[in-house]
Amino acid sequence: MFYDKLENMEAEKREKALFKDLRGLMDFAKGKAPALRAQLKGIEVKALKDRAALASVPVLRKPELMALQQAKGPFGGLVTAKPGQMARLLMSPGPIAEPEGIYMDWWGAARALFAAGFTKGDVVLNTFSYHFTPGGFIMDSGAQALGCGVIPAGPGNTEQQLQAINLYSPSGYCGTPDFLKILLDKLTEVGGPSPLIKALVSGAAFPPSLQAEIKARGVAAFQAYATADLGVIAYESAAREGLIVNEGLIVEIVRPGSHDPVLEGEVGEVVVTRLNEDYPLLRFGTGDLSKVLPGASPCGRTNQRLAGWMGRADQRTKVKGMFVDPAQINAVARAHPELGRLRLVVTRANEQDVMTLKAEAQEAQTGLAEAVEATLAAQLKLKGAVELVKPGSLPNDGKVIADERM
């Protein structure tokens, strides 16, 4: 059972539709959003027909977004409407200004809630914050789009939460998985059955041990991957095999610190293009690591699947008093295309920081290590050793810089 016919659309048909919509949206938005127009400088909108063409657009990351907003507030020239034309004007830590448009389910949460078993008439306890941040409104708008009644509880205040549960008997929960456990523990303490039987959780780790405990307590909990900038990016279905990318999004995996997509199956940074007329983010870097899983979900939904959250892509590290950035390691990779994966390992020896760049190479060419070492020093302004290793010997975990200092 699907939320709508988009979910089991033929994959190639979806891809063509997404890029047709992207071109139309960019034609509309570039005249209203100057920062978006600058991001597209030198790129023909009509040429954006596939992912290869999209990769020519530079990735916009959170530090750049913050700089744009500071220079031209509140939204940095990336929105197509004035603040007074938005439904809500929110903030996330940074601070970063986050708009919410007027139309129903603006954040795309209804599809994730439906996949988690939420239906019209359910009462939902929403424990995500409603205070300035988008979290509460992301889930609230999706639940209302489904026809659910929402208790806008927000986080904390456990005693009041229990009172609301006793008063309204919610069948559904939205919030972090650890707070769900706290509520279930409290309900057990006071005695009596819990009305909660379904949950959509996000915002914190949900390890297998906690999944098993929540399930044993009679709650079917599903995961959603969401951010304050983009809303719901991907969600879990009954198949329990990865997170399915939401409709209306183009998701890429790029090498951390770069603008370049990784090879299929490689771990990298999640980069999202959102087809939203109010706030059409183009190649926005989330800073999160994941990878695309092969094939479609056994549940019948045909969109891409992500492996879930696999860490942070921002691996910027201070070495000998100077910051080393993944972008600098990618510059080394571009200078030496004969290399495979690279990983800068930072350790301590004799009370000093030590850098070793491990680089996959097909064969030990004479002078290659020395050449890479010179490029590394030129990029980082710091000296480091180079160790050539066999192809495939470095882990596929998206790490470009590994800080192993204790």
Side-chain angles (χ1 to χ4, degrees):
M1 191 173 180
F2 304 113
Y3 179 71
D4 59 26
K5 63 183 180 181
L6 294 177
E7 292 188 347
N8 62 342
M9 179 187 291
E10 183 182 340
E12 289 184 9
K13 186 177 179 181
R14 176 188 289 109
E15 194 81 349
K16 289 180 180 178
L18 283 171
F19 280 91
K20 181 181 178 181
D21 290 346
L22 173 64
R23 294 191 298 274
L25 179 57
M26 291 301 102
D27 278 332
F28 160 77
K30 67 179 183 178
K32 296 176 177 289
L36 186 65
R37 186 164 60 249
Q39 192 180 3
L40 286 165
K41 185 177 180 180
I43 296 168
E44 290 282 345
V45 170
K46 64 183 179 183
L48 296 175
K49 296 182 178 181
D50 54 28
R51 291 171 185 265
L54 183 60
S56 65
V57 179
V59 173
L60 173 70
R61 292 187 167 90
K62 194 157 287 191
E64 297 161 315
L65 174 62
M66 293 172 65
L68 285 172
Q69 291 191 353
Q70 290 168 7
K72 187 178 175 60
F75 301 118
L78 286 167
V79 302
T80 63
K82 296 178 181 179
Q85 296 171 313
M86 297 292 185
R88 293 186 178 89
L89 304 172
L90 306 162
M91 290 192 300
S92 58
I96 297 175
E98 312 281 7
E100 180 185 358
I102 291 173
Y103 65 80
M104 185 71 75
D105 193 30
W106 195 85
W107 302 97
R111 194 179 302 279
L113 287 161
F114 182 85
F118 290 68
T119 59
K120 183 177 180 179
D122 281 338
V123 175
V124 180
L125 179 72
N126 185 16
T127 68
F128 284 112
S129 177
Y130 285 81
H131 184 66
F132 278 119
T133 64
F137 298 104
I138 291 173
M139 296 302 176
D140 192 300
S141 62
Q144 290 197 41
L146 284 179
C148 300
V150 180
I151 306 169
N157 299 310
T158 307
E159 293 305 319
Q160 279 189 296
Q161 302 269 3
L162 294 180
Q163 291 173 8
I165 290 171
N166 289 331
L167 184 62
Y168 293 113
S169 296
S171 58
Y173 167 91
C174 290
T176 62
D178 48 348
F179 190 57
L180 174 58
K181 180 186 180 324
I182 289 172
L183 289 178
L184 293 174
D185 287 344
K186 287 291 185 181
L187 286 165
T188 300
E189 282 181 20
V190 300
S194 165
L196 297 171
I197 58 172
K198 63 188 78 172
L200 185 64
V201 299
S202 189
F206 194 26
S209 57
L210 184 53
Q211 292 178 35
E213 181 174 349
I214 296 297
K215 182 179 179 181
R217 308 284 282 274
V219 180
F222 293 79
Q223 300 179 71
Y225 168 38
T227 72
D229 311 280
L230 297 157
V232 175
I233 297 170
Y235 59 90
E236 193 173 22
S237 75
R240 306 280 188 179
E241 293 191 16
L243 303 183
I244 300 161
V245 170
N246 212 344
E247 303 297 331
L249 303 177
I250 301 172
V251 173
E252 305 168 88
I253 307 295
V254 307
R255 188 174 299 110
S258 81
H259 305 284
D260 307 321
V262 300
L263 296 175
E264 187 173 352
E266 291 277 320
V267 175
E269 181 182 7
V270 178
V271 168
V272 181
T273 295
R274 181 174 63 177
L275 306 182
N276 179 301
E277 284 192 1
D278 297 321
Y279 194 18
L281 284 170
L282 179 62
R283 293 203 89 201
F284 182 74
T286 64
D288 295 321
L289 293 174
S290 191
K291 66 178 180 179
V292 173
L293 299 177
S297 172
C299 72
R301 292 172 175 86
T302 56
N303 211 339
Q304 281 177 302
R305 291 182 299 150
L306 300 180
W309 188 83
M310 300 177 70
R312 290 291 295 170
D314 183 8
Q315 300 158 28
R316 197 166 184 247
T317 304
K318 185 174 280 190
V319 181
K320 296 182 180 179
M322 294 180 63
F323 278 109
V324 177
D325 192 275
Q328 295 170 295
I329 308 304
N330 281 302
V332 176
R334 287 194 298 272
H336 297 277
E338 67 272 31
L339 299 177
R341 290 193 190 113
L342 302 181
R343 177 183 294 237
L344 184 72
V345 179
V346 185
T347 56
R348 293 281 290 175
N350 299 320
E351 300 303 323
Q352 292 186 345
D353 292 339
V354 176
M355 295 190 307
T356 303
L357 181 68
K358 296 187 177 183
E360 294 182 353
Q362 287 288 348
E363 52 188 62
Q365 303 173 24
T366 302
L368 177 58
E370 291 78 7
V372 175
E373 189 174 309
T375 304
L376 180 69
Q379 288 294 329
L380 274 55
K381 312 303 181 195
L382 294 168
K383 288 186 178 180
V386 171
E387 179 185 342
L388 299 180
V389 299
K390 293 180 180 180
S393 61
L394 294 178
N396 177 24
D397 58 6
K399 278 193 177 182
V400 177
I401 301 173
D403 189 347
E404 298 181 358
R405 292 171 290 190
M406 298 299 292

